[in-house]
Amino acid sequence: MTVQARRRRDRGPKGRGLDDRALADVRALLGAKPLRRDLLIEFLHLIQDKYGCLSAAHLRALAEDMRLSQAEVYEVASFYDHFDVVKEGKTPPAPLTIRICDSISCMLAGAESLVAELATSIDPSAVRLVRAPCMGRCAGAPAARIGDHEVDHATVESLLGMSKSGDTKVVVPGYTTLEAYRTAGGYKLLQKVRDGGLATEAIIATMQSAGLRGLGGAGFPAGKKWEFVRSYPGPRLMSINGDEGEPGTFKDRVYLERDPHRTLEGALIAAHAVEAERIYFYMRDEYPAVLHILRTEIEALEMAGIAKPGFIELRRGAGAYICGEESAMLESIEGKRGLPRHRPPYIAEVGLFGRPTLNHNVETLWWIRDIIEKGAEWFAALGKPGHPGIRSWSVSGRVKNPGVKLAPAGVTVRELIEDHCGGMQDGHVFKAYLPGGASGGMLPASMGDIPLDFGGELAKQGAFVGSHAVVVFSDKDSAKAATVNLLKFFKHESCGQCTPCREGTGKMVSLLQRDGALNEVALRDLETVMRDSSICGLGQAAPNPVHHLLTHFREDI
């Protein structure tokens, strides 16, 4: 044996050794669950929930049990914000975490002051304070989450009181249960479809005549999507995108907290139409109450024989805005980092696990029952001329009565403010608005009469309606400060896969925060590179607020 070989032998095996106790911990949590690669994120949640973090020993043990490399497990665990990876010798997080939303609506409502004051009022060894991106509670800004308890209009006093009393468990609002939904006629339409009383071709024609579009951001016609998926040979799958992370958006949460079975029945009808073998419901981890409701009601569907056991599989996100992009969401369902895929092929052809996949937003599915029962003409007539259908608008910011507002497609922001939100807050004058969350751009009040819908005049102004998240600003707000907030969000949420987005968002933030006059040449240069070269819509749309700041709000620069 050579000298070098003896030295290697004497040093012992390379890498992190397996801890028998950690392995026993992991096996106790996993029980008899199948050790499938796509369940990696679900297993990471089990460990995080039980122990409050992901220790190096537990990650090593999970890798051992799943027959994966440690690097593969670590890269997934470290990608998602809601996993706390703790290496050897490092201190685990405090036993209680308070998350304060610092996205745009909460910034307007004083989130920065709340964070600063709370930071000086807690014991860091007992309570961890974390800044968090949009929690989907914009109508109750500033929003917080203490443990699993979601809090609207959070104050230092309320959060400290809850931490002392232990009021940190999930609070489930009252909602329409399966029994109540069936009493009101729910799932009769599904049974009619399954019995052959309504042909799939007729349902698709109704969807197309109604003008129902994807309401998660892209706005692709729902009926046309069904046709595309059906055109590819099976077996097929279906996914539901509940990762409602666009700042200012909260409509899906509201619907699922009130009437979840309307979405679930729509999903089962859609799955029947495309002959999907399984539905994967991906729900963001920021909604603990919704997750509780879905677990309860999916189990109720199985007990009632409406859905076969396992046909609807609930998957839990882990804090990554990028997973709202459909291909990144599919990667996450497969147990991987949420990195958007290159297209083509599109997911209708090569989607989840390589199969043709129908993907829908929560609200899109929510309307299916009403459209089929009441007719395409009924739904289309609810919109303005040339803008078929009704939409759910998440309105927040400087309005008197924020919330989810049902209003026609083609409504203007001025109409939303005056007719649906009770006007501006006292002492505030309408100055600007986001028509489609952080991604949709920022327009001045002088453009407050543009019809809000996909395409049209809004697109000509370099803006889009996206997820229908409308954030209203007043004369008390700085357009530049709002733009910095939005770009910080994009910087934090960039998945890092492509250089233009990863580096461009950070560079834009630094350019915007420099003292003195803005370097507009550099900002415009970055805008072009990001739009032309980013893989997905995050990097392509991130420059929108900067573009509009430089175009419409010169006085705020």
Side-chain angles (χ1 to χ4, degrees):
M1 180 181 293
T2 66
V3 173
Q4 290 82 357
R6 280 199 300 271
R7 287 175 178 171
R8 284 197 297 269
R9 180 198 62 188
D10 293 342
R11 283 198 299 263
K14 290 183 177 181
R16 181 176 285 115
L18 179 63
D19 185 301
D20 290 338
R21 180 177 296 179
L23 183 61
D25 291 342
V26 169
R27 287 179 172 171
L29 285 174
L30 270 51
K33 295 180 176 63
L35 299 177
R36 301 199 317 259
R37 174 65 179 78
D38 63 286
L39 292 175
L40 174 58
I41 293 174
E42 296 299 309
F43 295 160
L44 291 171
H45 274 303
L46 290 176
I47 300 171
Q48 175 79 34
D49 291 345
K50 174 70 173 178
Y51 296 102
C53 66
L54 301 176
S55 70
H58 283 138
L59 290 179
R60 171 69 177 89
L62 182 61
E64 176 76 15
D65 225 25
M66 295 188 73
R67 298 296 186 264
L68 298 173
S69 70
Q70 292 184 66
E72 197 170 356
V73 174
Y74 177 80
E75 73 173 9
V76 173
S78 59
F79 181 84
Y80 296 93
D81 277 354
H82 286 198
F83 292 141
D84 297 306
V85 177
V86 178
K87 296 183 179 180
E88 294 93 342
K90 299 298 181 180
T91 304
L96 178 64
T97 295
I98 297 178
R99 300 179 189 273
I100 306 293
C101 176
D102 65 359
S103 284
I104 189 66
S105 299
C106 290
M107 182 197 83
L108 298 179
E112 291 299 323
S113 298
L114 178 60
V115 170
E117 189 176 347
L118 194 60
T120 62
S121 305
I122 59 172
D123 175 4
S125 65
V127 179
R128 176 177 60 158
L129 179 60
V130 177
R131 288 176 174 269
C134 188
M135 295 180 175
R137 307 195 71 84
C138 317
R145 175 175 168 180
I146 178 167
D148 282 336
H149 190 153
E150 300 163 276
V151 183
D152 289 342
H153 306 295
T155 65
V156 173
E157 293 74 22
S158 65
L159 293 173
L160 290 177
M162 294 168 71
S163 68
K164 291 176 182 177
S165 67
D167 186 12
T168 62
K169 303 296 184 183
V170 61
V171 177
V172 180
Y175 66 91
T176 302
T177 63
L178 175 60
E179 182 180 3
Y181 185 73
R182 295 183 77 179
T183 300
Y187 291 106
K188 289 182 178 179
L189 177 62
L190 173 65
Q191 192 60 50
K192 183 178 180 180
V193 169
R194 286 176 170 174
D195 291 342
L198 279 175
T200 297
E201 292 75 12
I203 296 174
I204 291 176
T206 299
M207 293 294 105
Q208 293 182 337
S209 297
L212 180 65
R213 307 183 71 158
L215 299 174
F220 195 83
K224 183 63 69 177
K225 186 182 289 189
W226 293 12
E227 282 188 337
F228 282 156
V229 174
R230 280 167 54 87
S231 71
Y232 295 108
R236 307 181 189 97
L237 295 171
M238 179 177 172
S239 59
I240 303 173
N241 192 339
D243 200 60
E244 185 179 52
E246 185 70 36
T249 314
F250 49 93
K251 59 188 176 66
D252 292 350
R253 174 187 62 79
V254 169
Y255 282 136
L256 291 174
E257 286 183 346
R258 293 177 182 175
D259 196 0
H261 286 284
R262 197 165 287 271
T263 289
L264 290 170
E265 183 171 15
L268 290 168
I269 291 171
H272 177 89
V274 301
E275 300 175 359
E277 291 189 347
R278 180 170 290 191
I279 298 171
Y280 290 84
F281 201 141
Y282 189 88
M283 177 49 56
R284 69 189 309 231
D285 196 39
E286 288 83 351
Y287 291 172
V290 171
L291 283 164
H292 177 92
I293 291 168
L294 289 175
R295 290 189 194 101
T296 302
E297 297 309 309
I298 290 171
E299 182 180 358
L301 285 176
E302 294 175 350
M303 295 292 291
I306 296 173
K308 294 180 180 178
F311 183 76
I312 304 175
E313 189 166 331
L314 182 62
R315 290 298 181 89
R316 181 177 166 192
Y321 165 77
I322 192 62
C323 291
E325 197 276 339
E326 62 180 12
S327 67
M329 179 196 67
L330 299 190
E331 290 288 297
S332 189
I333 292 174
E334 292 180 4
K336 305 171 187 174
R337 294 175 294 166
L339 302 181
R341 299 174 181 176
H342 290 276
R343 293 176 290 184
Y346 294 90
I347 70 167
E349 179 183 5
V350 181
L352 191 57
F353 307 117
R355 298 184 182 186
T357 302
L358 175 67
N359 179 57
H360 270 312
N361 160 264
V362 168
E363 190 197 352
T364 306
L365 297 169
W366 201 88
W367 287 111
I368 288 176
R369 176 187 167 190
D370 277 345
I371 290 173
I372 298 175
E373 289 183 341
K374 299 178 181 179
E377 295 77 12
W378 165 81
F379 183 78
L382 295 175
K384 292 199 169 189
H387 305 276
I390 197 167
R391 306 281 171 79
S392 304
W393 306 88
S394 304
V395 186
S396 62
R398 304 296 192 182
V399 294
K400 283 185 178 178
N401 302 310
V404 175
K405 309 297 179 179
L406 277 177
V411 70
T412 69
V413 69
R414 208 176 300 278
E415 290 170 334
L416 282 173
I417 294 170
E418 298 301 328
D419 300 340
H420 298 271
C421 298
M424 297 290 292
Q425 293 175 359
D426 293 338
H428 291 262
V429 177
F430 178 34
K431 173 181 177 175
Y433 67 106
L434 306 182
S439 305
M442 179 167 53
L443 298 179
S446 61
M447 295 183 178
D449 294 314
I450 294 176
L452 298 180
D453 205 349
F454 300 103
E457 181 61 29
L458 199 61
K460 293 178 183 177
Q461 299 300 329
F464 55 82
V465 75
S467 61
H468 297 69
V470 176
V471 182
V472 179
F473 302 100
S474 79
D475 57 334
K476 304 292 194 298
D477 303 314
S478 163
K480 181 180 178 182
T483 302
V484 170
N485 178 280
L486 299 174
L487 265 295
K488 283 184 175 180
F489 168 80
F490 288 126
K491 175 187 176 182
H492 178 264
E493 295 297 336
S494 174
C495 74
Q497 180 177 193
C498 68
T499 303
C501 177
R502 181 185 67 245
E503 302 301 324
T505 51
K507 187 65 174 177
M508 275 192 163
V509 171
S510 65
L511 286 170
L512 288 168
Q513 290 186 310
R514 282 184 181 176
D515 294 333
L518 292 180
N519 187 340
E520 297 188 36
V521 174
L523 285 168
R524 289 296 190 186
D525 210 22
L526 266 176
E527 177 187 349
T528 300
V529 171
M530 291 174 67
R531 291 194 195 282
D532 292 347
S533 308
S534 296
I535 290 174
C536 80
L538 192 158
Q540 295 161 11
N544 283 344
V546 177
H547 167 67
H548 288 136
L549 172 69
L550 300 179
T551 303
H552 301 301
F553 301 97
R554 306 291 309 177
E555 69 280 4
D556 283 7
I557 294 176

Short mmCIF file of all heavy atoms in Angstrom, two decimals, residues 312-350:
data_model
loop_
_atom_site.label_atom_id
_atom_site.label_comp_id
_atom_site.label_asym_id
_atom_site.label_seq_id
_atom_site.Cartn_x
_atom_site.Cartn_y
_atom_site.Cartn_z
N ILE A 312 -56.92 13.57 -6.14
CA ILE A 312 -56.50 14.97 -5.94
C ILE A 312 -55.38 14.94 -4.91
O ILE A 312 -55.60 14.61 -3.74
CB ILE A 312 -57.66 15.86 -5.44
CG1 ILE A 312 -58.85 15.81 -6.40
CG2 ILE A 312 -57.18 17.30 -5.27
CD1 ILE A 312 -60.07 16.57 -5.90
N GLU A 313 -54.20 15.27 -5.33
CA GLU A 313 -53.04 15.23 -4.44
C GLU A 313 -52.62 16.66 -4.10
O GLU A 313 -52.24 17.43 -4.98
CB GLU A 313 -51.89 14.47 -5.10
CG GLU A 313 -50.73 14.22 -4.15
CD GLU A 313 -49.76 13.18 -4.69
OE1 GLU A 313 -50.18 12.28 -5.46
OE2 GLU A 313 -48.57 13.27 -4.35
N LEU A 314 -52.71 17.00 -2.83
CA LEU A 314 -52.35 18.34 -2.38
C LEU A 314 -50.85 18.42 -2.18
O LEU A 314 -50.25 17.62 -1.47
CB LEU A 314 -53.07 18.66 -1.07
CG LEU A 314 -52.84 20.04 -0.47
CD1 LEU A 314 -53.33 21.14 -1.40
CD2 LEU A 314 -53.53 20.15 0.89
N ARG A 315 -50.24 19.41 -2.83
CA ARG A 315 -48.81 19.65 -2.65
C ARG A 315 -48.61 21.04 -2.06
O ARG A 315 -49.26 22.00 -2.47
CB ARG A 315 -48.07 19.54 -3.99
CG ARG A 315 -48.01 18.11 -4.52
CD ARG A 315 -47.25 17.19 -3.57
NE ARG A 315 -47.16 15.83 -4.10
CZ ARG A 315 -46.19 15.41 -4.89
NH1 ARG A 315 -45.21 16.22 -5.23
NH2 ARG A 315 -46.20 14.17 -5.32
N ARG A 316 -47.69 21.13 -1.15
CA ARG A 316 -47.46 22.34 -0.36
C ARG A 316 -46.21 23.06 -0.85
O ARG A 316 -45.13 22.49 -0.89
CB ARG A 316 -47.31 21.92 1.11
CG ARG A 316 -47.09 23.02 2.11
CD ARG A 316 -47.04 22.35 3.48
NE ARG A 316 -46.51 23.23 4.52
CZ ARG A 316 -46.16 22.81 5.74
NH1 ARG A 316 -46.29 21.53 6.05
NH2 ARG A 316 -45.68 23.66 6.63
N GLY A 317 -46.38 24.32 -1.24
CA GLY A 317 -45.23 25.12 -1.63
C GLY A 317 -44.36 25.40 -0.41
O GLY A 317 -44.66 24.98 0.70
N ALA A 318 -43.26 26.13 -0.63
CA ALA A 318 -42.34 26.35 0.48
C ALA A 318 -41.75 27.75 0.46
O ALA A 318 -40.66 27.97 0.97
CB ALA A 318 -41.24 25.29 0.47
N GLY A 319 -42.47 28.70 -0.11
CA GLY A 319 -42.01 30.08 -0.09
C GLY A 319 -41.12 30.43 -1.25
O GLY A 319 -39.93 30.70 -1.07
N ALA A 320 -41.68 30.39 -2.48
CA ALA A 320 -40.92 30.75 -3.68
C ALA A 320 -41.89 31.33 -4.70
O ALA A 320 -42.66 30.59 -5.31
CB ALA A 320 -40.18 29.55 -4.26
N TYR A 321 -41.84 32.64 -4.88
CA TYR A 321 -42.72 33.32 -5.84
C TYR A 321 -42.59 32.75 -7.24
O TYR A 321 -43.59 32.66 -7.98
CB TYR A 321 -42.36 34.81 -5.84
CG TYR A 321 -42.90 35.64 -6.99
CD1 TYR A 321 -44.23 36.04 -7.03
CD2 TYR A 321 -42.04 36.06 -8.02
CE1 TYR A 321 -44.70 36.82 -8.07
CE2 TYR A 321 -42.51 36.84 -9.05
CZ TYR A 321 -43.84 37.22 -9.08
OH TYR A 321 -44.32 38.00 -10.12
N ILE A 322 -41.39 32.32 -7.61
CA ILE A 322 -41.17 31.84 -8.96
C ILE A 322 -42.03 30.62 -9.28
O ILE A 322 -42.33 30.34 -10.44
CB ILE A 322 -39.67 31.50 -9.16
CG1 ILE A 322 -39.35 31.27 -10.65
CG2 ILE A 322 -39.26 30.29 -8.33
CD1 ILE A 322 -39.59 32.46 -11.53
N CYS A 323 -42.49 29.91 -8.26
CA CYS A 323 -43.31 28.72 -8.50
C CYS A 323 -44.72 29.08 -8.95
O CYS A 323 -45.52 28.19 -9.24
CB CYS A 323 -43.34 27.83 -7.26
SG CYS A 323 -41.75 27.04 -6.93
N GLY A 324 -45.04 30.38 -9.03
CA GLY A 324 -46.28 30.78 -9.68
C GLY A 324 -46.18 30.65 -11.18
O GLY A 324 -47.19 30.60 -11.88
N GLU A 325 -44.95 30.60 -11.72
CA GLU A 325 -44.74 30.32 -13.14
C GLU A 325 -45.00 28.84 -13.36
O GLU A 325 -44.47 27.99 -12.64
CB GLU A 325 -43.30 30.69 -13.53
CG GLU A 325 -43.06 30.83 -15.01
CD GLU A 325 -42.76 29.51 -15.70
OE1 GLU A 325 -42.36 28.55 -15.02
OE2 GLU A 325 -42.94 29.44 -16.93
N GLU A 326 -45.82 28.50 -14.35
CA GLU A 326 -46.38 27.15 -14.41
C GLU A 326 -45.32 26.05 -14.52
O GLU A 326 -45.44 25.00 -13.87
CB GLU A 326 -47.39 27.03 -15.55
CG GLU A 326 -46.83 27.28 -16.94
CD GLU A 326 -47.89 27.14 -18.02
OE1 GLU A 326 -49.09 27.08 -17.68
OE2 GLU A 326 -47.51 27.10 -19.20
N SER A 327 -44.28 26.25 -15.30
CA SER A 327 -43.29 25.19 -15.43
C SER A 327 -42.43 25.07 -14.18
O SER A 327 -42.01 23.97 -13.80
CB SER A 327 -42.42 25.42 -16.67
OG SER A 327 -41.60 26.57 -16.54
N ALA A 328 -42.17 26.20 -13.49
CA ALA A 328 -41.45 26.15 -12.22
C ALA A 328 -42.29 25.43 -11.17
O ALA A 328 -41.75 24.68 -10.33
CB ALA A 328 -41.11 27.56 -11.75
N MET A 329 -43.60 25.63 -11.20
CA MET A 329 -44.49 24.93 -10.28
C MET A 329 -44.42 23.42 -10.51
O MET A 329 -44.38 22.63 -9.56
CB MET A 329 -45.92 25.41 -10.45
CG MET A 329 -46.92 24.72 -9.55
SD MET A 329 -48.63 24.96 -10.06
CE MET A 329 -48.65 24.05 -11.62
N LEU A 330 -44.39 23.01 -11.78
CA LEU A 330 -44.30 21.58 -12.07
C LEU A 330 -42.99 21.00 -11.57
O LEU A 330 -42.95 19.88 -11.05
CB LEU A 330 -44.44 21.33 -13.58
CG LEU A 330 -45.75 21.77 -14.24
CD1 LEU A 330 -45.83 21.24 -15.67
CD2 LEU A 330 -46.97 21.31 -13.44
N GLU A 331 -41.89 21.75 -11.72
CA GLU A 331 -40.61 21.30 -11.19
C GLU A 331 -40.70 21.10 -9.67
O GLU A 331 -40.17 20.15 -9.12
CB GLU A 331 -39.52 22.32 -11.52
CG GLU A 331 -39.14 22.39 -12.99
CD GLU A 331 -38.36 21.17 -13.44
OE1 GLU A 331 -37.25 20.96 -12.92
OE2 GLU A 331 -38.86 20.43 -14.31
N SER A 332 -41.40 22.03 -8.99
CA SER A 332 -41.55 21.92 -7.55
C SER A 332 -42.40 20.72 -7.16
O SER A 332 -42.09 20.01 -6.20
CB SER A 332 -42.16 23.21 -6.99
OG SER A 332 -42.15 23.24 -5.59
N ILE A 333 -43.46 20.46 -7.91
CA ILE A 333 -44.29 19.27 -7.65
C ILE A 333 -43.45 18.00 -7.82
O ILE A 333 -43.65 17.01 -7.10
CB ILE A 333 -45.51 19.25 -8.60
CG1 ILE A 333 -46.47 20.39 -8.25
CG2 ILE A 333 -46.24 17.91 -8.53
CD1 ILE A 333 -47.63 20.55 -9.22
N GLU A 334 -42.50 18.04 -8.73
CA GLU A 334 -41.63 16.88 -8.94
C GLU A 334 -40.54 16.78 -7.87
O GLU A 334 -39.68 15.90 -7.94
CB GLU A 334 -41.00 16.96 -10.33
CG GLU A 334 -42.02 16.76 -11.45
CD GLU A 334 -41.40 16.83 -12.84
OE1 GLU A 334 -40.15 16.97 -12.94
OE2 GLU A 334 -42.14 16.75 -13.83
N GLY A 335 -40.56 17.71 -6.89
CA GLY A 335 -39.63 17.63 -5.78
C GLY A 335 -38.30 18.31 -6.05
O GLY A 335 -37.31 18.02 -5.38
N LYS A 336 -38.29 19.26 -6.97
CA LYS A 336 -37.04 19.91 -7.37
C LYS A 336 -37.07 21.39 -7.02
O LYS A 336 -38.06 21.91 -6.50
CB LYS A 336 -36.83 19.75 -8.88
CG LYS A 336 -36.87 18.32 -9.39
CD LYS A 336 -36.88 18.30 -10.92
CE LYS A 336 -37.11 16.91 -11.47
NZ LYS A 336 -37.25 16.93 -12.95
N ARG A 337 -35.97 22.07 -7.31
CA ARG A 337 -35.98 23.52 -7.23
C ARG A 337 -36.96 24.07 -8.26
O ARG A 337 -37.13 23.50 -9.34
CB ARG A 337 -34.59 24.09 -7.52
CG ARG A 337 -33.53 23.75 -6.49
CD ARG A 337 -32.17 24.25 -6.93
NE ARG A 337 -31.71 23.57 -8.13
CZ ARG A 337 -30.69 23.98 -8.89
NH1 ARG A 337 -30.03 25.07 -8.56
NH2 ARG A 337 -30.33 23.30 -9.95
N GLY A 338 -37.61 25.19 -7.94
CA GLY A 338 -38.59 25.76 -8.85
C GLY A 338 -37.95 26.60 -9.93
O GLY A 338 -38.07 27.83 -9.93
N LEU A 339 -37.29 25.95 -10.87
CA LEU A 339 -36.63 26.66 -11.97
C LEU A 339 -37.50 26.56 -13.22
O LEU A 339 -37.84 25.45 -13.65
CB LEU A 339 -35.26 26.04 -12.25
CG LEU A 339 -34.26 26.03 -11.09
CD1 LEU A 339 -32.93 25.42 -11.54
CD2 LEU A 339 -34.03 27.43 -10.54
N PRO A 340 -37.86 27.69 -13.83
CA PRO A 340 -38.68 27.65 -15.04
C PRO A 340 -37.99 26.86 -16.16
O PRO A 340 -36.76 26.89 -16.30
CB PRO A 340 -38.83 29.13 -15.42
CG PRO A 340 -38.62 29.88 -14.15
CD PRO A 340 -37.61 29.07 -13.39
N ARG A 341 -38.79 26.18 -16.94
CA ARG A 341 -38.27 25.40 -18.05
C ARG A 341 -38.19 26.26 -19.32
O ARG A 341 -38.94 27.22 -19.47
CB ARG A 341 -39.18 24.20 -18.33
CG ARG A 341 -39.31 23.23 -17.18
CD ARG A 341 -40.34 22.15 -17.51
NE ARG A 341 -40.52 21.21 -16.41
CZ ARG A 341 -41.42 20.23 -16.40
NH1 ARG A 341 -42.23 20.07 -17.44
NH2 ARG A 341 -41.52 19.41 -15.36
N HIS A 342 -37.31 25.86 -20.21
CA HIS A 342 -37.27 26.49 -21.53
C HIS A 342 -38.47 25.99 -22.34
O HIS A 342 -38.88 24.84 -22.23
CB HIS A 342 -35.97 26.13 -22.26
CG HIS A 342 -34.76 26.76 -21.66
ND1 HIS A 342 -34.35 28.05 -21.96
CD2 HIS A 342 -33.86 26.30 -20.75
CE1 HIS A 342 -33.26 28.34 -21.27
NE2 HIS A 342 -32.95 27.30 -20.52
N ARG A 343 -39.03 26.88 -23.15
CA ARG A 343 -40.17 26.51 -23.99
C ARG A 343 -39.91 26.96 -25.42
O ARG A 343 -39.34 28.05 -25.62
CB ARG A 343 -41.45 27.16 -23.45
CG ARG A 343 -41.87 26.62 -22.10
CD ARG A 343 -43.07 27.34 -21.55
NE ARG A 343 -42.74 28.71 -21.14
CZ ARG A 343 -43.60 29.55 -20.54
NH1 ARG A 343 -44.82 29.14 -20.28
NH2 ARG A 343 -43.23 30.76 -20.22
N PRO A 344 -40.38 26.17 -26.44
CA PRO A 344 -41.08 24.89 -26.34
C PRO A 344 -40.15 23.77 -25.87
O PRO A 344 -38.95 23.97 -25.86
CB PRO A 344 -41.59 24.68 -27.77
CG PRO A 344 -40.61 25.40 -28.64
CD PRO A 344 -40.16 26.59 -27.84
N PRO A 345 -40.76 22.59 -25.49
CA PRO A 345 -42.18 22.29 -25.55
C PRO A 345 -42.95 22.94 -24.39
O PRO A 345 -42.37 23.19 -23.33
CB PRO A 345 -42.22 20.76 -25.43
CG PRO A 345 -41.00 20.45 -24.60
CD PRO A 345 -39.96 21.43 -25.03
N TYR A 346 -44.22 23.19 -24.63
CA TYR A 346 -45.09 23.74 -23.60
C TYR A 346 -45.68 22.61 -22.76
O TYR A 346 -45.70 21.45 -23.19
CB TYR A 346 -46.20 24.58 -24.24
CG TYR A 346 -45.66 25.81 -24.93
CD1 TYR A 346 -45.29 25.78 -26.27
CD2 TYR A 346 -45.49 27.01 -24.23
CE1 TYR A 346 -44.77 26.90 -26.90
CE2 TYR A 346 -44.98 28.14 -24.85
CZ TYR A 346 -44.61 28.08 -26.18
OH TYR A 346 -44.09 29.19 -26.78
N ILE A 347 -46.16 22.97 -21.57
CA ILE A 347 -46.58 21.92 -20.64
C ILE A 347 -47.83 21.18 -21.12
O ILE A 347 -48.08 20.06 -20.67
CB ILE A 347 -46.80 22.46 -19.22
CG1 ILE A 347 -48.04 23.35 -19.14
CG2 ILE A 347 -45.58 23.20 -18.71
CD1 ILE A 347 -48.47 23.63 -17.72
N ALA A 348 -48.59 21.77 -22.04
CA ALA A 348 -49.73 21.05 -22.60
C ALA A 348 -49.29 19.79 -23.33
O ALA A 348 -50.04 18.83 -23.45
CB ALA A 348 -50.52 21.96 -23.55
N GLU A 349 -48.03 19.82 -23.80
CA GLU A 349 -47.49 18.66 -24.51
C GLU A 349 -46.56 17.84 -23.62
O GLU A 349 -46.69 16.62 -23.52
CB GLU A 349 -46.73 19.12 -25.75
CG GLU A 349 -46.10 17.99 -26.54
CD GLU A 349 -45.28 18.47 -27.73
OE1 GLU A 349 -45.13 19.70 -27.89
OE2 GLU A 349 -44.80 17.62 -28.50
N VAL A 350 -45.60 18.51 -22.98
CA VAL A 350 -44.65 17.85 -22.10
C VAL A 350 -44.67 18.60 -20.77
O VAL A 350 -44.01 19.61 -20.60
CB VAL A 350 -43.22 17.84 -22.69
CG1 VAL A 350 -42.26 17.11 -21.74
CG2 VAL A 350 -43.21 17.22 -24.06
#
